Amino acid sequence: MEKKFILAVPNFSEGRDEEVINKVADTIRNKEGVKLVTCEPEHDFNRTVLTIIGEPQPLKEALLEMAKTTYENVDMTKQEGTHPRIGAQDTIPLFPLHNIELDEVKELAEEIGQELFDKYQVPIFFSGANARTENKKSISYIRKGQYEGLKALLEDSSNPDYDERKPDLSVDGKLSDKLGATIVSADMEGLTAYNVFLDTEDVSIAKKISKALRGPSGGFSTIRSVGIKFPEREGVVVSMNLFNCEETPIYRAFEFVRREAESYGVQVTGSELVGPVKLDYLLNNLRYYLRLEGFDKDQILEYHLMG
């Protein structure tokens, strides 16, 4: 019987302490039935994104061990960074990758969320296909206010937003001081993290372009973006999460940023994919820029080596 594979792209709220990052990543490395594809620490964001492929049960066991290690090593009362977050093990999103249906992945997400709560009493939010309400399908809605703002809101059960914003699993309806909360989800498509770099030090330009690009403020419904400065490099960046690269291809987001930047007299100096990306999401860029007719991925020799 052909094996089933799930993609997991969890992130935890530590991107600076190499010892902690390696401890967490080591819970995934060298596990039977699981492969750590990438470990992407981000110093300014102060978070790390792991990309993991695995068979359902080995993956579940690895993710539970990963979260345990994160809970032991990250303290949200001390953590700070520029990326939105509400917890030490901030998210555990799962996606069907090969020979498996969304319903099976959704069930596994439920099991992971319940076991994390049962073992560690960490508050759990279910998102994506596991969301208990329409609003909670969006991770950005759950994270609104971040750890500090959401924690303060949930301290007051008389707050009019309390019932809608409280965790789906919790001891007392509040965030944990040390652990915050963990968001567990299943969905058909994972996000693609993508950065476009601009040759200006004026971060307000990146912020204006980002606002025009992202869905909630009038841009693409499948994109969320921010304009920021990475201290370690020249220029500023429009940093985005692409939630559906079939509906909104990478080249379309790139061209939008390029044209908007030119209106400010600013040039794009380059772009960057953060973590792995599906082959199909790159091939549609190739078709677009080279105007290829009748091109198929079977024409790529290495594609025939993929099992």
Side-chain angles (χ1 to χ4, degrees):
M1 184 179 293
E2 194 174 4
K3 291 182 177 180
K4 300 178 179 182
F5 290 98
I6 293 172
L7 169 67
V9 193
N11 82 71
F12 59 95
S13 296
E14 176 56 68
R16 300 168 183 170
D17 188 324
E18 289 187 14
E19 183 179 355
V20 172
I21 293 166
N22 285 326
K23 278 183 182 179
V24 177
D26 283 346
T27 64
I28 308 297
R29 294 187 176 105
N30 303 316
K31 292 286 195 302
E32 185 73 25
V34 177
K35 180 177 178 61
L36 178 63
V37 180
T38 63
C39 174
E40 300 279 348
E42 297 167 329
H43 184 276
D44 190 46
F45 284 169
N46 198 17
R47 65 132 185 206
T48 296
V49 180
L50 304 179
T51 302
I52 308 162
I53 294 172
E55 298 173 63
Q57 285 307 309
L59 179 64
K60 173 185 170 181
E61 293 169 11
L63 291 173
L64 291 173
E65 186 179 346
M66 170 200 70
K68 175 179 182 292
T69 304
T70 301
Y71 295 152
E72 291 171 347
N73 288 278
V74 178
D75 185 345
M76 291 305 295
T77 64
K78 301 174 182 177
Q79 197 271 356
E80 58 181 21
T82 59
H83 197 279
R85 80 285 185 264
I86 60 167
Q89 182 62 58
D90 195 53
T91 66
I92 305 178
L94 307 176
F95 310 95
L97 185 63
H98 179 72
N99 196 37
I100 191 167
E101 299 297 324
L102 177 60
D103 283 347
E104 296 177 78
V105 181
K106 180 180 175 181
E107 183 177 344
L108 193 74
E110 291 284 334
E111 293 174 8
I112 290 171
Q114 188 66 57
E115 289 192 31
L116 290 177
F117 174 66
D118 291 343
K119 290 181 178 180
Y120 310 110
Q121 287 72 59
V122 61
I124 299 293
F125 289 91
F126 288 107
S127 189
N130 297 81
R132 301 322 197 231
T133 68
E134 189 66 26
N135 283 334
K136 285 180 179 176
K137 287 182 179 179
S138 166
I139 287 178
S140 60
Y141 174 82
I142 295 173
R143 279 178 172 159
K144 185 178 179 181
Q146 299 203 51
Y147 165 79
E148 294 82 0
L150 182 57
K151 186 175 184 298
L153 186 155
L154 296 176
E155 295 288 339
D156 179 11
S157 60
S158 66
N159 188 298
D161 294 327
Y162 173 81
D163 286 334
E164 175 63 24
R165 298 294 309 279
K166 70 180 181 181
D168 299 304
L169 302 175
S170 68
V171 174
D172 55 11
K174 302 176 182 179
L175 294 191
S176 163
D177 287 346
K178 180 177 186 291
L179 306 182
T182 296
I183 305 168
V184 183
S185 63
D187 225 326
M188 277 304 298
E189 285 287 340
L191 66 83
T192 299
Y194 183 54
N195 297 325
V196 179
F197 301 105
L198 309 179
D199 68 346
T200 176
E201 295 299 326
D202 187 349
V203 73
S204 71
I205 292 176
K207 289 181 177 180
K208 290 174 184 176
I209 295 172
S210 172
K211 184 177 180 181
L213 177 68
R214 61 179 178 257
S217 50
F220 296 100
S221 63
T222 56
I223 295 179
R224 299 295 181 270
S225 60
V226 294
I228 55 176
K229 167 70 180 174
F230 287 165
E232 68 272 16
R233 65 172 295 156
E234 294 182 356
V236 296
V237 59
V238 177
S239 181
M240 65 191 88
N241 288 333
L242 307 172
F243 288 92
N244 190 329
C245 289
E246 290 184 1
E247 288 187 7
T248 311
I250 297 170
Y251 67 76
R252 194 170 297 158
F254 175 83
E255 288 294 337
F256 181 94
V257 173
R258 182 183 64 79
R259 290 193 299 269
E260 289 290 311
E262 286 179 352
S263 74
Y264 294 101
V266 171
Q267 298 298 311
V268 168
T269 60
S271 68
E272 172 189 41
L273 285 164
V274 182
V277 63
K278 288 185 177 180
L279 177 62
D280 285 342
Y281 295 167
L282 297 180
L283 293 184
N284 60 14
N285 295 278
L286 188 65
R287 294 186 185 98
Y288 177 82
Y289 283 110
L290 297 184
R291 304 294 190 266
L292 291 176
E293 298 181 8
F295 178 78
D296 188 87
K297 61 187 175 185
D298 285 343
Q299 292 174 253
I300 298 174
L301 288 173
E302 286 81 1
Y303 176 74
H304 298 278
L305 299 177
M306 301 176 189

